[in-house]
């Protein structure tokens, strides 16, 4: 993880927000290469979602009517249980506190909480795992935090009772900062889709089943931000709500699960680095929920949720707004509130997953029998790579630089490509490997006579000659 974070900063993928002021916890800035890659990722999602007949796009505002969040349940329920250490004032989310206990400590806590229950035996792994799964919600939490030692100062029994903490950021519209003017920064993009359901349906004349997709910022005042871009306070989501006739939700749930897993695989993720996590405990309105998890360097973590949400959200908005959100089915002449399948993926979190998945250090042979060296390479899918190609004149004279400059200008009409004429050619290749550039085109002395260039492929490091006039199509085909 440290290596990925360090490369991300050094090569301009991701910087700490307001770094010169010491940073702002849970906020990150995308640098020149990061913004290209993030845009590529969002573009890949947008194309896969909306370049089809049955999904429309929207871009709703971040600030919405405050009633939206009452209807959605976020005002009442979007909370995390939290405790403070009375000794050192550190604040912890209870489930994180429990997660950070190692297995031995969990066993000790269990033995202390349930004296006599284990007959002097250690509780086995299964009991510990069950305990860990229940811990965020049930009454054992209160007991557990009374016993735990603070990870920061080590004081035992120093935690306050768990309190609920709402994760939405509040602000005010207009000049008067009172409770009548409170609005929230949206904690998810989904509600901007629900409230526009009928607008989109009537404007686009879509019939069920159809979906609405949106990419945008979301904000959560997470108590514990951690692991780089994994859990941040400001992030981007790519969400799609697919509206179906009641009774058809199970079929489309399976369809979207398959589609979404395919998306990650087609962008180069290895199947062994992805897994499904089924939610056993469902919200009262939910029919089913699965997460796609990625194997991050720190362990498995959710990157996307696929949820079968019944007609809960639309019905709530009907009730709170007093406006009908029913769909009129022309075939059956019936009016009803559609059911919804949601796919919800973090753009920032999956950006990090693709960075981690592609990072590699490989031993490569040195030139002319010299000792080998380690090359750092990002095996990014060409669609995601921030630079699609580098154009390199072998030397800076004899017209090679002019040819290379002209080729760069031509290609820049279509792709983000990079011209580099400084340093030995091997060093230039390595610099491109490190940022995931899939192809390097080198203009050399042969180019001057036959107008061909060498193309060097990042992963295999193989080289071949192609006509300079074929470079654009070569890239188009592969990207
Ligand atoms: N509308 C449903 C929804 O928002 P979620 O599971 O809370 O569901 C969906 O969030 C996705 O958004 C997650 O799988 C994750 O990729 C991303 N996400 C959620 N909270 C995040 C955070 N604090 N930082 C970065 N990404 C986050």
């Amino acid at each position: 993880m440290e290596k990925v974070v360090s490369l991300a900063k050094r090569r301009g993928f991701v910087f700490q927000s307001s770094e010169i002021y010491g940073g702002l916890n849970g906020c990150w800035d995308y640098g020149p290469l990061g913004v290209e890659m993030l845009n590529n990722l969002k573009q890949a999602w947008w194309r896969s979602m909306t370049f089809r007949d049955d999904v429309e796009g929207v871009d709703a505002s971040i600030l919405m009517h405050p009633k939206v969040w009452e209807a959605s349940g976020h005002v009442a329920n979007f909370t995390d249980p939290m405790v403070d250490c009375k000794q050192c004032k550190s604040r912890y989310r209870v489930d994180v506190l429990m997660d950070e206990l190692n297995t031995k400590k969990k066993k000790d806590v269990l033995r202390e909480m349930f004296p006599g229950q284990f007959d002097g035996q250690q509780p086995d792994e299964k009991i510990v795992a069950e305990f860990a799964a229940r811990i965020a919600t049930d009454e054992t939490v209160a007991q557990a935090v009374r016993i735990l030692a603070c990870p920061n100062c080590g004081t035992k029994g120093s935690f306050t009772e768990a309190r609920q903490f709402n994760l939405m950021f509040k602000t005010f519209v207009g000049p008067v900062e009172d409770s009548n003017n409170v609005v929230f920064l949206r904690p998810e993009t989904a509600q901007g889709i629900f409230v526009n359901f009928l607008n989109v349906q009537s404007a686009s004349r879509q019939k069920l089943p159809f979906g609405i997709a949106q990419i945008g910022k979301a904000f959560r005042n997470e108590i514990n931000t951690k692991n780089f871009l994994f859990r941040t306070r400001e992030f981007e989501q790519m969400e799609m709500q697919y509206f179906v006739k009641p009774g058809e939700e199970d079929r489309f749930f399976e369809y979207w699960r398959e589609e979404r897993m395919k998306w990650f695989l087609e962008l180069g993720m290895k199947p062994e680095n992805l897994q499904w996590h089924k939610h056993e405990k469902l919200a009262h309105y939910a029919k089913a929920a699965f997460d796609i998890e990625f194997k991050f360097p720190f362990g498995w973590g959710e990157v996307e949720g696929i949820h079968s949400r019944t007609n809960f959200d639309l019905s709530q908005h009907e009730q709170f707004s007093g406006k009908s959100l029913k769909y009129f089915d022309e075939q059956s002449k019936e009016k009803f509130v559609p059911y919804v399948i949601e796919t919800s993926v973090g753009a920032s979190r999956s950006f990090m997953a693709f960075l981690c998945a592609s990072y590699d250090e490989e031993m490569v042979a040195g030139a002319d029998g010299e000792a080998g060296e380690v090359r750092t390479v990002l095996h990014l899918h060409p669609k995601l790579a921030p630079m699609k190609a580098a154009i390199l004149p072998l030397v800076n004279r004899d017209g090679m630089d002019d040819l290379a400059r002209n080729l760069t200008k031509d290609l820049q009409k279509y792709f983000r490509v990079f011209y580099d004429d400084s340093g030995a050619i091997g060093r230039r290749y390595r610099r491109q490997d490190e940022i995931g550039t899939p192809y390097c085109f080198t203009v050399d002395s042969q180019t001057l006579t036959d107008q061909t260039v060498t193309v060097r492929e990042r992963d295999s490091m193989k080289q071949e000659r192609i006509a300079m006039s074929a470079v654009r199509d070569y890239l188009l085909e592969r990207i």
Side-chain angles (χ1 to χ4, degrees), residues 249-262:
E249 64 276 13
D250 294 347
R251 178 158 72 88
F252 285 109
F253 183 66
E254 288 311 316
Y255 168 80
W256 281 110
R257 274 184 61 196
E258 210 172 292
E259 285 296 296
R260 295 305 305 145
M261 184 58 96
K262 230 168 37 189

Side-chain angles (χ1 to χ4, degrees), residues 21 23 40 62 74 119 137 206 221 290 324 380 401 413 456:
Y21 289 98
N40 293 341
I62 287 171
H74 282 82
D119 297 332
T137 46
Q206 283 282 1
N221 198 1
F290 275 84
S324 167
L380 286 170
D401 44 349
K413 292 180 201 144
R456 182 249 193 201

Side-chain angles (χ1 to χ4, degrees), residues 364 373 375 426-434:
V364 288
E373 56 169 12
R375 75 160 183 157
R427 297 258 318 266
R428 282 184 262 168
Y429 285 152
R430 293 286 179 273
R431 285 203 291 263
Q432 296 305 317
D433 290 343
E434 204 182 38

Side-chain angles (χ1 to χ4, degrees), residues 267-286:
L267 283 175
M269 288 269 185
K270 295 201 176 97
E272 62 268 27
N273 288 336
L274 295 170
Q275 71 178 16
W276 286 108
H277 167 75
K278 181 177 185 213
H279 286 225
E280 298 299 342
K281 201 164 178 201
L282 293 171
H284 62 92
Y285 53 82

Side-chain angles (χ1 to χ4, degrees), residues 188 190 220 222 229-232 235 237 239 302-304 342 344 346 349:
E188 60 171 18
R220 297 183 187 179
E222 301 282 3
L229 307 173
F230 185 80
R231 183 174 291 127
T232 56
F235 54 97
Q237 287 187 315
E239 298 199 295
E302 172 191 338
V303 285
E304 170 151 1
E342 169 181 74
S344 174
R349 197 180 279 184

Side-chain angles (χ1 to χ4, degrees), residues 293-307:
E293 293 186 336
F294 171 73
K295 200 177 191 178
F296 288 98
F298 52 82
W300 290 98
E302 172 191 338
V303 285
E304 170 151 1
I306 293 123
H307 312 124

Side-chain angles (χ1 to χ4, degrees), residues 393 395-406 443-444 448:
V395 288
N396 236 336
R397 57 182 148 75
D398 303 336
M400 291 183 215
D401 44 349
D402 288 340
L403 277 178
R405 281 255 180 237
N406 287 340
V443 174
D444 54 19
L448 304 176

